[in-house]
Amino acid sequence: MHRTRPIAALAAAAALAAGTLAATTGTAAAAPAYTVTPLHFAVKTGADGATSCDIVGDLYLPRSASASKPVPAILTTNGFGGSKDDQAGIGKAFAARGYAVLSYSGLGFGGSTCKITLDDPDVDGRAASQLVSYLGGKKGIAFTDATHTTPAPALKVVKRDKKDHRGKASTNDPRVGMVGGSYGGQIQYAAASVDPRIDTIVPIITWNDLSYSLSPNNTSQTVGVQTAIPGAAKLVWALGFSALGVVDGVQNAPGDPGRLLPCPNFATFVCPALLTAATTGTLDAASTANLRHASVASYVKKITIPTLILQGEHDTLFNLNEATATYRALQAQGTEVKMIWQKWGHSDSTPAPGEIDLANPDPATQYETKRVAAWFDRYLRDKKVSTGPEFSYFRDWVTYSGIATPAYATAKRFPVGTSTKYYLSGKELTRSSSTVAAGSQSFVTPVAGLPTSTDHLDVVGSYVPLPEIDLPGTSAAWTTPALAEKVDVVGSPKLTVRVDAPGAAVSQATGPLGKLVVFAKVLDVDAAGKATIINDLVAPVRVPDVTKPFTVTLPGIVHRFAAGHSLRVVLAGGSTNYRGGLTPNPVTITTGSTGQVLTLPVVP
């Protein structure tokens, strides 16, 4: 079935996320021989284990592997809209390094049956666990045909552990890690939460809390990125992923027609959730609970194995705050964890030179490839190798050639930087707390949550370029004078502000739909006056109480404001990519005190 260019672009981004580690290690010329065997897996899923599904996969085995010389294993699956084929590079590269690799199509995708349940631990996690059992030598799971009539031989060449990570002995406990991106990243958390036999994971550009991902509220966080008040629904991302899921379901419906009802190719709750979000501009409590159930934020205490988190700086779907939330939770409970902020993500799926090269993997010339290869060598092969710094981040202002290592700054801890304050002063931002000027700006939020800005469109922005402007009377902005020297920001900017919104002061008592919705964003203004939103990142805010100050935690950034440029913060009534508040509200922000401030994490 033909896909439109925007949807094809989304699929390409998902495929890149899924196939990230096709760029692992070794070169084709030096790689040892391996075999590739297509297989079908009969699995039981659901909280009651009563739902039968067929999973398709490919097993990559080094020819040198044997029962007397067993090898560690890697399990990997696709990003949203992809299939097992997206991981062919992973299979080839790691098999060439002496790993057994099982690449499979996630449930609802790429020939595997059953519905998309958004990496639910009870469904997708349990399915992955049974593939772990196969890697551990268990019989009765793998077959050579889709009808599960011809059993595949039991696997005897994967190294086994005597006990899992809870101290329980098992005869089918393989030495196994997982890797993959986006949808193929979250499945690693889901699988590890239900299966203590998994030894390590490398989740890439994935979510912490899917309710935040799809309807973020960037104020009054309770735990991680979660808030008690629902946010503003993402429009373009939701539409794109819904279309991908439905298309995959229709394509595979002849062999599994039940997946189309009552919600085409998705878990039953997804369609009502989409309808509610489109109608009200946010998620209801039931949808939020379901999305959080399918998120590591709800079961992070079960993740106790070494975890290497890779997250994209250019990502409006799963921003850096999500990786930060997971990292901090794992670190707080004593789980071994490190974090890399890479250049690329869902919004810009092209790695920088020397980060990862999917066609020509080489750890000597690719920074991320080297880090991931070392991680698996350490935790699957027990090699005494360095796994790199605690935290590293890509700086796009650093020039280099070859491997991207020079562009990656490193730190022994996270967060980094010093809190630097810029006070709202009339229409300016000032560093001086003693010169804050009185002034006010007013705007009106739009009716029915319509967009009043032309921010860069999610998913399809490269096909439908828009100027980054806010319509007159729909935003307030504060700008620094031209900077005398560069300012490097690494982390999440925070904006503390107080608004006067008399209409919302009355309607907010009716619940979330009566609350004021605004959108915060940080822009870089060049010497010619052109303003650009940093990495297209916008922070929706459903204000808890307009009679009190509130603090907005914007998505994390890694950005240099060059000398001669200006720094601008904007509070707007609408956004192209989100559904705003349903009722128009006049809003006024009055300055004159140091209580209204933009705080940036600045590094030397």
Side-chain angles (χ1 to χ4, degrees):
M1 180 177 291
H2 176 71
R3 291 177 175 170
T4 63
R5 291 183 68 200
I7 296 300
L10 179 60
L16 177 61
T20 297
L21 291 181
T24 40
T25 53
T27 63
Y34 54 84
T35 61
V36 184
T37 305
L39 294 169
H40 288 262
F41 299 91
V43 299
K44 297 283 189 179
T45 68
D48 57 0
T51 302
S52 298
C53 303
D54 174 53
I55 288 178
V56 296
D58 291 324
L59 178 65
Y60 298 78
L61 284 181
R63 292 188 185 277
S64 59
S66 66
S68 61
K69 294 182 179 180
V71 296
I74 293 171
L75 186 63
T76 181
T77 188
N78 53 276
F80 200 95
S83 74
K84 64 181 178 61
D85 298 334
D86 301 329
Q87 284 77 250
I90 296 176
K92 295 174 182 178
F94 276 107
R97 283 185 58 83
Y99 290 89
V101 181
L102 177 55
S103 168
Y104 72 98
S105 295
L107 298 176
F109 297 111
S112 292
T113 63
C114 294
K115 290 189 172 191
I116 300 167
T117 61
L118 306 179
D119 283 334
D120 186 318
D122 295 334
V123 182
D124 302 278
R126 290 187 66 160
S129 177
Q130 290 161 77
L131 302 187
V132 170
S133 294
Y134 164 72
L135 290 171
K138 189 172 183 178
K139 299 179 180 179
I141 298 173
F143 297 83
T144 60
D145 61 314
T147 57
H148 304 155
T149 56
T150 307
L155 196 58
K156 299 180 180 180
V157 300
V158 172
K159 183 178 180 180
R160 300 183 192 180
D161 291 321
K162 294 180 179 180
K163 293 182 179 180
D164 64 24
H165 291 277
R166 295 176 187 170
K168 183 179 179 180
S170 171
T171 57
N172 303 119
D173 183 353
R175 177 68 60 87
V176 60
M178 294 187 72
V179 66
S182 193
Y183 199 79
Q186 190 68 199
I187 182 56
Q188 299 173 55
Y189 292 125
S193 75
V194 300
D195 196 332
R197 296 173 299 173
I198 297 172
D199 297 290
T200 188
I201 55 176
V202 183
I204 306 167
I205 57 173
T206 196
W207 66 89
N208 170 266
D209 175 8
L210 199 51
S211 70
Y212 170 84
S213 310
L214 300 179
S215 185
N217 189 13
N218 288 276
T219 192
S220 303
Q221 274 86 7
T222 53
V223 178
V225 293
Q226 294 183 359
T227 62
I229 300 169
K234 289 180 180 176
L235 300 176
V236 187
W237 277 119
L239 178 62
F241 278 114
S242 299
L244 276 178
V246 171
V247 166
D248 206 304
V250 171
Q251 288 177 331
N252 292 279
D256 187 19
R259 69 203 297 180
L260 297 181
L261 296 172
C263 183
N265 207 29
F266 283 95
T268 302
F269 83 89
V270 173
C271 287
L274 290 170
L275 180 60
T276 298
T279 303
T280 67
T282 192
L283 296 170
D284 58 21
S287 299
T288 298
N290 282 317
L291 292 171
R292 286 180 177 170
H293 175 72
S295 302
V296 65
S298 69
Y299 54 79
V300 69
K301 290 182 179 180
K302 296 180 179 180
I303 309 302
T304 60
I305 55 176
T307 302
L308 178 62
I309 299 173
L310 282 67
Q311 201 79 354
E313 296 169 12
H314 289 245
D315 203 322
T316 59
L317 179 61
F318 307 135
N319 64 45
L320 294 175
N321 292 12
E322 301 227 44
T324 296
T326 304
Y327 169 86
R328 282 176 163 161
L330 292 174
Q331 187 185 58
Q333 69 190 27
T335 299
E336 173 62 23
V337 59
K338 292 184 177 181
M339 182 166 63
I340 299 173
W341 286 0
Q342 61 196 28
K343 169 189 175 287
W344 59 277
H346 289 85
S347 304
D348 179 0
S349 58
T350 303
E355 280 194 304
I356 283 180
D357 184 342
L358 303 183
N360 298 292
D362 182 359
T365 59
Q366 298 158 24
Y367 178 79
E368 289 183 281
T369 297
K370 182 178 180 180
R371 292 289 304 274
V372 175
W375 191 265
F376 280 137
D377 280 349
R378 170 67 181 85
Y379 293 109
L380 296 181
R381 285 179 163 167
D382 297 325
K383 288 189 175 182
K384 294 181 179 180
V385 297
S386 170
T387 58
E390 181 75 9
F391 174 54
S392 60
Y393 54 93
F394 182 85
R395 300 165 295 174
D396 63 5
W397 59 87
V398 174
T399 58
Y400 65 93
S401 61
I403 193 168
T405 304
Y408 274 91
T410 63
K412 294 180 179 179
R413 62 187 60 86
F414 177 87
V416 297
T418 301
S419 295
T420 303
K421 296 183 182 298
Y422 291 81
Y423 300 97
L424 278 59
S425 176
K427 291 186 177 180
E428 292 189 351
L429 289 173
T430 178
R431 289 289 311 280
S432 174
S433 61
S434 62
T435 61
V436 175
S440 67
Q441 297 186 57
S442 299
F443 61 91
V444 178
T445 64
V447 64
L450 297 174
T452 56
S453 63
T454 52
D455 304 330
H456 188 85
L457 278 170
D458 291 337
V459 185
V460 295
S462 59
Y463 300 99
V464 189
L466 297 173
E468 295 181 358
I469 59 173
D470 293 286
L471 298 178
T474 65
S475 67
W478 299 266
T479 309
T480 66
L483 298 169
E485 57 184 20
K486 55 89 174 174
V487 176
D488 293 345
V489 179
V490 179
S492 296
K494 292 189 176 183
L495 174 64
T496 299
V497 66
R498 181 166 184 167
V499 300
D500 181 17
V506 175
S507 62
Q508 66 185 11
T510 63
L513 300 187
K515 295 183 183 296
L516 175 69
V517 178
V518 290
F519 300 87
K521 48 194 174 184
V522 175
L523 297 84
D524 187 326
V525 185
D526 67 17
K530 181 181 178 182
T532 303
I533 302 173
I534 309 303
N535 293 341
D536 304 317
L537 294 165
V538 175
V541 180
R542 192 172 295 270
V543 182
D545 186 346
V546 295
T547 67
K548 300 177 181 179
F550 57 93
T551 297
V552 183
T553 302
L554 286 87
I557 59 174
V558 177
H559 184 74
R560 166 168 287 183
F561 294 89
H565 285 212
S566 296
L567 190 157
R568 177 177 295 166
V569 64
V570 173
L571 202 62
S575 171
T576 311
N577 295 302
Y578 297 87
R579 182 76 181 276
L582 298 182
T583 57
N585 278 290
V587 179
T588 299
I589 299 99
T590 302
T591 64
S593 73
T594 58
Q596 306 207 92
V597 60
L598 175 68
T599 304
L600 300 177
V602 175
V603 298

